Amino acid sequence: MNRYPVWKYAIIVIVLLVGLIYALPNFFGEAPAVQVSAAKTTVKVDAATQTRVEEALKAAGLTPDLVTLDAGSLRARFTTTDDQLKARDVVQRALVPDASDPPYTVALNLLSRSPKWLTSLHAYPMYLGLDLRGGVDFLLQVDMKGAIDKKAESFASDLRTTFRDKNIRGTQVSRNGQTVEVTFRDAASLETAKRLIVDQFPDLSTTDAQDGTNWRLTATIKPEAARRLQDAALKQNITTLHNRINELGVAEPVIQQQGLDRIVVQLPGVQDTAKAKEILGRTATLEMRMVDESAEGRAAELSGAPVPFGSEKFLDRSGRPVIVKKQVLVTGENLTDAQPGFDQQSNQPKVDLTMDAKGGRIMRDVSRENYKKRMAMLIFEKGKGEVLTAPSINGELGNRFQVSGSMTVAEASDLALLLRAGSLAAPMEIIQERTIGPTLGADNIEKGFKSVMYGFLAIMVFMCLYYALFGLFSSIALAVNLMLLVAILSMLQATLTLPGIAAMALAIGVAIDSNVLINERVREELRNGASPQAAIHAGYDRAWGTILDSNVTTLIAGIALLAFGSGPVRGFAVVHCIGIVTSMFSAVFFSRGLVNFWYGNKKKLKTVSIGTVWRPKTGSADGTAVVETK
Amino acid sequence: MEFFRIHKTIPFMRHALVLNIISFATFALALFFLFHRGLHLSVEFTGGTVMEVAYEQSADIGKVREAVTKLGYPEVQVQNYGTSRDVQIRLPTQKGMSSDQQSAQVMQALKSVDPSATQRGIEVVGPQVGEELTTNGIKALAMVVVGIMIYLAFRFEWKFALSTVLANLHDVVIILGFFAFFQWEFSLAVLAAVLAVLGYSVNESVVIFDRVRENFRRYRKMTTTEVIDNAITSTISRTIITHGSTQLVVLSMFFFGGPTLHYFALALTIGICFGIYSSCFVAAAIAMWLGVKREDLIKGPVKRDGDPGGDDPNAGAVV
């Protein structure tokens, strides 16, 4: 009755092997490494880069003990930090000839010491959270209202142009918060306008009302369009952050969306928060608008006269006022690249700009209509705008055009950086920030590890003393549980945090419950006079229902934590949930396998080594220990 | 080894009424402290800045406080964190100053007193994050309660579901009461511990109710009270050993886990102690008051007395 078929043992062996392989990389520790990643979207890190790096290292007499290449980054591992530092300089010289325009980012990193064959099986160690390795952690909030406001403004100007083109007269278009309001003189033009909006602006929904002699149309952005817009804004902000963080040369940064309007940025190893914030916090949006060159505009620019309606005043970087129209031509969204260079003819520094198709089309139209007029490039930071440059248009512009004029080389590369670093679709602010020093991280990891280890040892000693051989089986099952937990976390490449380690310790406590249930049950069966084999069988069988119920309820709590938790709570919940699942396997299936292996083949089993089985005096009529008379 | 040599069923339920009154009193007391004193919420909930500063020698808390107060912070909390050389400073958010400026200013002030001061970590949280955490925490709590109730009602019976959940809320409120009374810091990790206790303490009740169901099948002539007493008695060894083992791990976290896991382990300890108590006396007793009967748990045709195999453990079992 207590035998497993061969296939069950096969499952156990396979699971153990796989578990072992994937848990293994966590025990090798970390070695210094140099990481090469692309600093530009146009540059790829591939096999050719690998050859270049390897050749450069060879020439310098350095031999990395492992070079790995994965999607987007190349890492070379060294045995000493000395070699690592030398190697970084060598690679930097080989790959980045011009420091002002780096195609690659070369950063110091740590790489698992695990041997090549493990790495080639895609067995990587768990990723350590910042609380365990030190670094900065930011939570950024994206101003979605700002993004929608801006979109509404651009709809307003689009509608204005469309009505003009279609000869709908006597309209007035204005933005009111996130809606666009249009007034008409007669009902007929309102009808035409409505049809036009349905045809050409599928993202807008309209309502109309009559108000005295005026007909009013209110256009709102449809909820699904607003959602799409917000989503796109968030994605673009994440991309922009990626570009900016690349400049910091951080190995393995984490940039993730959290919730609907938040972004988490984690920079391991970075201690200089001020620098990191400065780069992240360039919460800039780039806009190109026409300079108001009407007489009133010029007057305002030169003598400080009132700014004409439909225009705004901004200062340029040297503090001179520039009067700019409110209508935005293109935003940084449409700008794909900006590179500093030299103009061949005038030999002056310039910045080459590349726009996407939509941006190119707009530039072509704008430049045709506004030949010889000035166009301002504005950067908005924390709601304040500044004119980066306001060159005049000297020809028809297209997808690619250049900005040149009185700039120094430094100014040109600065401008290019500001333009290229990309702009954000919506402003962001840092709402949470944590810095964990590297010593604190090392402390945390040591303390967490100790608490798991001592807890585990204490339970193991107790189980072996209390339940003898069955206690040993339980302890082995517990060790397997811990190994599988680590293996699954490594396979998922989950981030291990201190709360995660706490959950691991707790998982040990909870996992032992199943074994205690089983062992107590077996004892009880023996007490009630069952034969050893029958007692083992019944013990496992009857405990199963209870184990299932109690684990499912615990899992419900774990899933709730996972669903609503964030940050540390989530880190806890992931390990907690996985721990429950692995404990079901190890405590029931695996430990039964061990017991069956040991006792299953013994036909005339007299005793089971499960500690004392105490029997009350026979004949006690009441209570737990009812001994059945046979 | 064998710790529990119980000759007779212990009449737990005989004292149910007295213990329930005590439970209710502690519960009310916990609620009182919770509302009267409130929780000492961590920066994650309240927003603000927390700095961790390390010194080479033991830090003089008084001097640190003095230095920070001089900067014009009316309300500053300074306390040791982990060792005597590490100090944690909590600053309220100040308008017109960024967290960088705040921390730089504080560090400068501290260094002028003792140059060995080094900043080990800083945490800055905006107030809106806190609000969200609170609502999410409540949502998670609600989801756990509802989820467990549905599962238990499905597997057992609504009376058990209700009594289990009441017993669990009792545990949770008492943990919170402890945190309010002693003004221990209530952080996200503690919240996680509280919710973990919720799941964990259901285990207890489930194990006992499982046995109650089994006993109803097995001993057909026992009264409900006897059945419950017997179920608790026969599972008490498992209850204590399991909790003892878990407590071993939790103690290990408490002693070796460092300051971050300190309150986490403390919350779990309280949860474990009250988990045992509440599942024996609160959950089982409430189920008893609610009038759990054999028929509630054993569905299907009830066999008449005198059927063969009256003591058959599987009598009345439904598959």
Side-chain angles (χ1 to χ4, degrees):
Chain A
M1 70 192 352
N2 291 321
R3 284 194 213 167
Y4 263 0
V6 178
W7 64 268
K8 282 196 178 176
Y9 281 114
I11 289 180
I12 289 178
V13 170
I14 292 169
V15 170
L16 286 186
L17 260 178
V18 172
L20 191 68
I21 289 173
Y22 283 90
L24 214 51
N26 294 292
F27 299 102
F28 284 99
E30 288 182 315
V34 172
Q35 174 181 294
V36 177
S37 47
K40 292 181 193 170
T41 40
T42 47
V43 174
K44 285 229 161 53
V45 177
D46 52 15
T49 327
Q50 183 171 355
T51 336
R52 275 172 71 190
V53 169
E54 276 168 352
E55 274 168 8
L57 288 174
K58 208 177 198 177
L62 290 162
T63 37
D65 68 337
L66 181 70
V67 179
T68 58
L69 180 68
D70 59 32
S73 73
L74 173 87
R75 286 167 211 177
R77 190 173 75 189
F78 298 91
T79 35
T80 62
T81 25
D82 212 32
D83 283 357
Q84 179 201 25
L85 294 174
K86 269 187 218 156
R88 184 197 43 186
D89 294 341
V90 169
V91 175
Q92 179 88 31
R93 267 201 302 278
L95 293 184
V96 185
D98 176 13
S100 68
D101 176 31
Y104 297 97
T105 311
V106 183
L108 298 179
N109 198 356
L110 289 169
L111 203 59
S112 166
R113 256 182 236 279
S114 55
K116 206 167 188 164
W117 64 273
L118 274 179
T119 324
S120 59
L121 284 171
H122 292 282
Y124 301 111
M126 278 178 273
Y127 181 80
L128 294 184
L130 287 189
D131 53 351
L132 299 180
R133 59 152 89 180
V136 228
D137 175 319
F138 294 110
L139 184 61
L140 300 152
Q141 169 97 42
V142 181
D143 178 11
M144 287 302 177
K145 193 184 161 292
I148 304 264
D149 280 354
K150 222 162 77 176
K151 194 68 190 176
E153 181 69 54
S154 99
F155 272 129
S157 75
D158 285 355
L159 285 177
R160 227 172 267 138
T161 347
T162 318
F163 292 155
R164 197 178 343 121
D165 288 355
K166 297 285 173 189
N167 271 327
I168 302 174
R169 299 274 164 204
T171 59
Q172 260 198 342
V173 184
S174 65
R175 177 176 72 94
N176 184 8
Q178 302 190 348
T179 56
V180 180
E181 284 181 0
V182 194
T183 48
F184 300 91
R185 265 190 235 137
D186 51 67
S189 42
L190 183 133
E191 277 309 311
T192 332
K194 239 165 83 179
R195 255 185 320 231
L196 208 65
I197 290 178
V198 172
D199 278 356
Q200 298 193 0
F201 296 90
D203 286 350
L204 292 177
S205 63
T206 55
T207 45
D208 50 89
Q210 190 182 2
D211 160 26
T213 52
N214 282 330
W215 280 265
R216 186 181 294 128
L217 187 71
T218 313
T220 1
I221 302 174
K222 287 181 187 163
E224 65 265 27
R227 236 183 344 265
R228 207 171 52 233
L229 210 86
Q230 294 186 347
D231 206 40
L234 200 73
K235 294 263 146 59
Q236 198 205 327
N237 279 13
I238 289 178
T239 319
T240 309
L241 283 174
H242 263 293
N243 291 339
R244 290 182 183 172
I245 287 163
N246 260 341
E247 283 173 44
L248 280 169
V250 178
E252 297 182 52
V254 173
I255 303 157
Q256 272 169 354
Q257 174 174 356
Q258 189 180 81
L260 290 174
D261 57 355
R262 303 236 165 109
I263 300 171
V264 177
V265 175
Q266 295 190 332
L267 308 171
V270 171
Q271 293 303 315
D272 187 357
T273 21
K275 168 93 183 196
K277 264 185 173 170
E278 190 198 303
I279 297 217
L280 287 188
R282 275 190 209 146
T283 46
T285 43
L286 183 76
E287 287 179 4
M288 299 196 188
R289 304 188 193 179
M290 291 310 298
V291 173
D292 187 351
E293 291 190 278
S294 60
E296 297 96 323
R298 290 211 175 187
E301 193 167 319
L302 293 172
S303 60
V307 178
F309 184 73
S311 296
E312 284 178 283
K313 182 163 109 174
F314 291 104
L315 300 180
D316 72 4
R317 289 204 281 171
S318 53
R320 279 190 304 259
V322 181
I323 307 299
V324 177
K325 291 191 175 158
K326 273 192 180 163
Q327 187 191 353
V328 179
L329 303 173
V330 282
T331 63
E333 234 172 302
N334 305 106
L335 184 76
T336 49
D337 197 19
Q339 291 294 337
F342 279 99
D343 191 30
Q344 300 270 308
Q345 286 151 9
S346 63
N347 216 14
Q348 269 187 336
K350 63 161 187 176
V351 177
D352 285 309
L353 297 155
T354 315
M355 308 289 277
D356 63 6
K358 186 182 164 205
R361 203 172 54 237
I362 296 170
M363 290 319 283
R364 204 163 13 251
D365 291 348
V366 167
S367 57
R368 236 182 254 146
E369 289 168 24
N370 297 290
Y371 184 63
K372 285 291 177 196
K373 287 186 182 157
R374 283 159 72 212
M375 183 178 69
M377 295 182 192
L378 294 138
I379 193 132
F380 285 85
E381 274 177 293
K382 289 182 182 163
K384 271 191 210 150
E386 191 187 39
V387 177
L388 288 176
T389 177
S392 50
I393 298 168
N394 286 326
E396 191 179 307
L397 307 176
N399 274 14
R400 299 175 64 88
F401 59 96
Q402 64 174 56
V403 173
S404 56
S406 48
M407 299 193 262
T408 64
V409 181
E411 274 168 357
S413 75
D414 202 20
L415 179 64
L417 184 74
L418 281 168
L419 294 171
R420 183 186 56 212
S423 71
L424 298 164
M428 289 192 295
E429 73 177 314
I430 297 173
I431 51 168
Q432 185 181 324
E433 164 197 346
R434 284 170 74 207
T435 311
I436 299 105
T439 52
L440 192 60
D443 262 20
N444 282 344
I445 211 170
E446 193 205 322
K447 281 177 178 152
F449 178 72
K450 265 190 190 162
S451 60
V452 172
M453 189 178 69
Y454 291 136
F456 181 71
L457 285 178
I459 285 196
M460 212 158 132
V461 168
F462 173 77
M463 289 302 274
C464 289
L465 284 179
Y466 198 78
Y467 292 118
L469 190 59
F470 265 73
L472 182 67
F473 291 151
S474 305
S475 304
I476 297 174
L478 200 59
V480 166
N481 180 39
L482 201 58
M483 183 187 82
L484 289 180
L485 185 54
V486 170
I488 291 180
L489 288 172
S490 310
M491 270 186 225
L492 295 177
Q493 282 289 289
T495 305
L496 187 70
T497 57
L498 191 60
I501 295 184
M504 232 181 242
L506 191 65
I508 294 174
V510 175
I512 206 67
D513 178 46
S514 311
N515 286 110
V516 172
L517 269 171
I518 293 166
N519 293 351
E520 283 293 317
R521 202 68 204 231
V522 173
R523 272 187 181 185
E524 209 184 313
E525 294 296 325
L526 287 170
R527 189 178 300 145
N528 288 349
S531 75
Q533 295 285 14
I536 294 172
H537 187 75
Y540 273 93
D541 256 20
R542 301 230 172 114
W544 168 243
T546 316
I547 293 171
L548 186 70
D549 281 337
S550 62
N551 278 322
V552 169
T553 44
T554 319
L555 202 58
I556 291 174
I559 290 170
L561 280 177
L562 204 59
F564 293 107
S566 62
V569 175
R570 235 185 145 76
F572 174 83
V574 170
V575 182
H576 193 60
C577 289
I578 297 174
I580 293 164
V581 176
T582 54
S583 88
M584 302 256 262
F585 172 84
S586 64
V588 182
F589 188 69
F590 174 74
S591 87
R592 179 94 197 254
L594 278 181
V595 171
N596 285 357
F597 188 72
W598 193 261
Y599 285 118
N601 288 323
K602 294 180 180 159
K603 285 220 174 82
K604 284 179 184 161
L605 188 63
K606 286 268 160 52
T607 53
V608 183
S609 171
I610 192 166
T612 335
V613 178
W614 162 84
R615 286 163 197 252
K617 288 178 205 116
T618 37
S620 90
D622 145 276
T624 36
V626 182
V627 175
E628 290 171 315
T629 41
K630 295 205 171 170
Chain B
M1 238 199 283
E2 170 76 72
F3 291 155
F4 305 94
R5 307 196 165 194
I6 303 162
H7 288 268
K8 287 184 179 166
T9 302
I10 306 166
F12 287 99
M13 288 303 115
R14 188 182 295 165
H15 313 292
L17 191 62
V18 182
L19 288 166
N20 279 7
I21 291 170
I22 296 175
S23 282
F24 188 76
T26 24
F27 183 80
L29 210 63
L31 271 184
F32 170 75
F33 283 121
L34 204 53
F35 284 107
H36 180 62
R37 292 202 184 184
L39 289 170
H40 171 52
L41 293 170
S42 74
V43 70
E44 291 141 335
F45 294 99
T46 56
T49 305
V50 172
M51 298 174 66
E52 274 162 40
V53 182
Y55 286 90
E56 269 167 23
Q57 254 94 50
S58 314
D60 185 341
I61 300 278
K63 273 189 184 165
V64 174
R65 184 172 292 127
E66 197 186 325
V68 182
T69 319
K70 265 188 199 162
L71 293 174
Y73 290 98
E75 234 184 288
V76 171
Q77 279 184 36
V78 181
Q79 61 193 69
N80 275 118
Y81 185 75
T83 69
S84 65
R85 281 170 298 161
D86 297 317
V87 179
Q88 193 185 51
I89 304 167
R90 287 166 63 109
L91 306 168
T93 346
Q94 267 204 336
K95 272 189 186 153
M97 258 178 109
S98 75
S99 56
D100 276 344
Q101 288 168 322
Q102 263 187 328
S103 60
Q105 195 191 27
V106 170
M107 275 319 289
Q108 202 185 3
L110 293 182
K111 279 209 165 131
S112 67
V113 181
D114 182 347
S116 77
T118 46
Q119 186 174 320
R120 289 186 91 197
I122 179 171
E123 193 172 344
V124 184
V125 184
Q128 68 268 53
V129 185
E131 265 170 43
E132 250 179 53
L133 285 176
T134 318
T135 49
N136 279 347
I138 292 168
K139 271 188 204 159
L141 195 71
M143 184 173 154
V144 172
V145 168
V146 171
I148 288 173
M149 273 188 91
I150 291 173
Y151 181 75
L152 289 183
F154 179 68
R155 282 281 294 178
F156 293 88
E157 216 251 336
W158 69 268
K159 287 170 189 161
F160 280 162
L162 186 64
S163 52
T164 304
V165 164
L166 283 177
N168 277 323
L169 287 179
H170 162 269
D171 296 350
V172 167
V173 169
I174 285 178
I175 299 177
L176 296 180
F178 267 93
F179 273 78
F181 181 76
F182 290 104
Q183 288 290 301
W184 293 328
E185 188 176 55
F186 190 85
S187 63
L188 268 184
V190 176
L191 179 69
V194 167
L195 290 170
V197 162
L198 204 52
Y200 179 73
S201 125
V202 181
N203 269 5
E204 263 337 285
S205 314
V206 167
V207 169
I208 290 173
F209 287 151
D210 227 42
R211 194 53 84 97
V212 168
R213 175 165 56 189
E214 201 182 310
N215 281 352
F216 271 134
R217 283 179 190 151
R218 204 179 206 177
Y219 310 113
R220 302 167 55 80
K221 282 172 190 148
M222 278 189 192
T223 61
T224 304
T225 316
E226 280 170 346
V227 161
I228 293 176
D229 282 341
N230 182 283
I232 299 176
T233 309
S234 48
T235 50
I236 196 82
S237 56
R238 171 261 154 201
T239 304
I240 293 178
I241 290 168
T242 297
H243 285 300
S245 309
T246 314
Q247 189 59 56
L248 278 180
V249 183
V250 172
L251 280 180
S252 169
M253 266 193 263
F254 187 80
F255 288 116
F256 304 111
T260 326
L261 294 185
H262 192 270
Y263 288 122
F264 175 81
L266 202 57
L268 283 177
T269 301
I270 302 169
I272 288 170
C273 293
F274 278 89
I276 304 181
Y277 165 80
S278 77
S279 41
C280 292
F281 295 109
V282 183
I286 294 175
M288 191 174 78
W289 302 135
L290 287 174
V292 170
K293 295 186 298 288
R294 179 189 309 272
E295 291 73 35
D296 289 340
L297 288 169
I298 300 165
K299 308 265 155 58
V302 180
K303 288 184 182 176
R304 266 170 283 120
D305 273 0
D307 268 353
D311 270 333
D312 177 6
N314 294 321
V318 178
V319 182

